[in-house]
Amino acid sequence: MQKIYIPTMAELFAKGEKPEILFWVGCAGSFDERAKRITRAFATLLHRAGVRFAVLGTEEGCTGDPAKRAGNEFLFQMQALTNIQVLDNYEVTKIVTTCPHCFNTIKNEYPSLGGNYQVLHHTQLLQQLLDEGRLKVEGGFFKGKRITFHDPCYLGRANNEYEAPRSLLETIEAQVLEMKKCKAHAMCCGAGGAQMFKEAEAGNKEINIERTEQALDIQPDIIATGCPFCNTMFSDGLKFKQKTTIQVKDIAEILVENSKLNN
């Protein structure tokens, strides 16, 4: 993957410049080695589409989503208000993120604390760029591949976005298959509600194993995701089921790998 230079908001602000959009990288996209590949893939797509974007860098803090879901409202508000102050200092108006948890929190929960921004999930922005002709997909590396998309809870049921990721998959001419539980009836991967950061509770089966088995029922070549948490849970599920030939990929990764992308 080509190296690209990504400025910080501080760098641009010092020059009196503003980006077209702020890329909110998120904790997973910043620190998790697997999720970093999603970050790089999405940044590559933005670069090739000619989008002028920036990141906060070390000024970006956790949105507070895990704290809020775990019941620590005080910590959530501390984290959120700190982020809002930083965003407002840079006069940020438009934000994109590859994490549905960040997307949902900034979009729906920051306004009550004074943080009002236009927030997009990366699949929504990529679809817009394709519709505008700024991003073009050619080739067919995944043509005919059996791909199923897992709807992240905070993208689908919480924000009613089901079509953007599927439309993107259709552009690569893949065979898009739906799990029995999909869209508004999709099942959680098991990481939501701060479950990602705690041990599982007593039960007969891990949630991610159940969801992985639902995906395996339709014999996919690839399980596509739009969330770094979902990516982790499915990867762990496939390891548990010893299905080493099936891959888990974010849609941004699929688009980068699929073909030559031109402006």
Side-chain angles (χ1 to χ4, degrees):
M1 193 175 294
Q2 69 182 107
K3 289 186 177 181
I4 59 176
Y5 173 71
I6 303 174
T8 63
M9 289 296 298
E11 290 177 280
L12 293 185
F13 200 74
K15 298 177 184 177
E17 301 175 3
K18 288 185 66 175
E20 182 179 346
I21 194 164
L22 169 70
F23 175 18
W24 186 279
V25 181
C27 300
S30 297
F31 301 111
D32 181 80
E33 289 302 319
R34 176 63 185 89
K36 286 179 184 178
R37 286 155 52 189
I38 300 172
T39 300
R40 295 188 190 101
F42 181 56
T44 297
L45 294 173
L46 291 179
H47 178 70
R48 292 180 180 176
V51 176
R52 184 168 172 76
F53 69 101
V55 296
L56 286 173
T58 57
E59 291 187 276
E60 181 186 296
C62 177
T63 61
D65 169 79
K68 188 174 184 68
R69 305 307 160 214
N72 194 334
E73 180 67 21
F74 178 70
L75 177 57
F76 161 70
Q77 291 197 20
M78 285 179 59
Q79 293 176 310
L81 289 169
T82 299
N83 288 328
I84 290 169
Q85 184 176 31
V86 172
L87 293 168
D88 289 351
N89 284 343
Y90 288 125
E91 301 175 351
V92 171
T93 58
K94 190 173 183 179
I95 300 171
V96 64
T97 179
T98 56
C99 177
H101 297 257
C102 298
F103 165 69
N104 178 71
T105 301
I106 300 174
K107 178 177 182 286
N108 296 321
E109 292 168 348
Y110 276 27
S112 65
L113 298 173
N116 296 283
Y117 317 100
Q118 179 185 359
V119 189
L120 296 171
H121 184 252
H122 69 307
T123 58
Q124 294 175 322
L125 180 61
L126 290 173
Q127 184 59 55
Q128 287 182 17
L129 293 173
L130 282 169
D131 291 343
E132 294 167 1
R134 297 176 66 178
L135 193 62
K136 296 180 181 178
V137 181
E138 299 172 353
F141 183 78
F142 293 102
K143 185 175 182 179
K145 291 285 186 180
R146 295 171 63 86
I147 300 180
T148 187
F149 178 72
H150 163 76
D151 293 280
C153 296
Y154 285 115
L155 180 64
R157 285 177 290 154
N159 287 283
N160 202 37
E161 178 57 76
Y162 302 108
E163 298 311 315
R166 289 172 171 80
S167 295
L168 291 169
L169 289 175
E170 289 173 2
T171 66
I172 63 171
E173 301 180 77
Q175 186 179 353
V176 183
L177 309 168
E178 295 289 1
M179 286 181 257
K180 186 175 181 180
K181 292 186 178 182
C182 64
K183 298 186 178 180
H185 301 288
M187 180 176 167
C188 178
C189 72
Q195 296 296 309
M196 181 82 170
F197 308 104
K198 62 182 285 294
E199 294 297 323
E201 297 170 18
N204 297 322
K205 187 186 295 184
E206 298 277 10
I207 295 175
N208 69 310
I209 302 303
E210 177 72 20
R211 186 57 169 161
T212 299
E213 289 174 348
Q214 292 173 11
L216 293 176
D217 283 343
I218 55 176
Q219 301 179 327
D221 297 308
I222 296 167
I223 299 173
T225 70
C227 173
F229 289 3
C230 297
N231 192 296
T232 296
M233 300 305 274
F234 273 102
S235 295
D236 288 349
L238 290 174
K239 289 176 186 176
F240 179 84
K241 301 296 291 186
Q242 298 183 337
K243 297 294 184 179
T244 57
T245 60
I246 301 174
Q247 297 177 300
V248 183
K249 293 181 180 292
D250 187 89
I251 286 185
E253 295 178 298
I254 291 174
L255 289 180
V256 167
E257 294 176 22
N258 176 71
S259 59
K260 179 180 178 181
L261 294 163
N262 297 315
N263 294 336

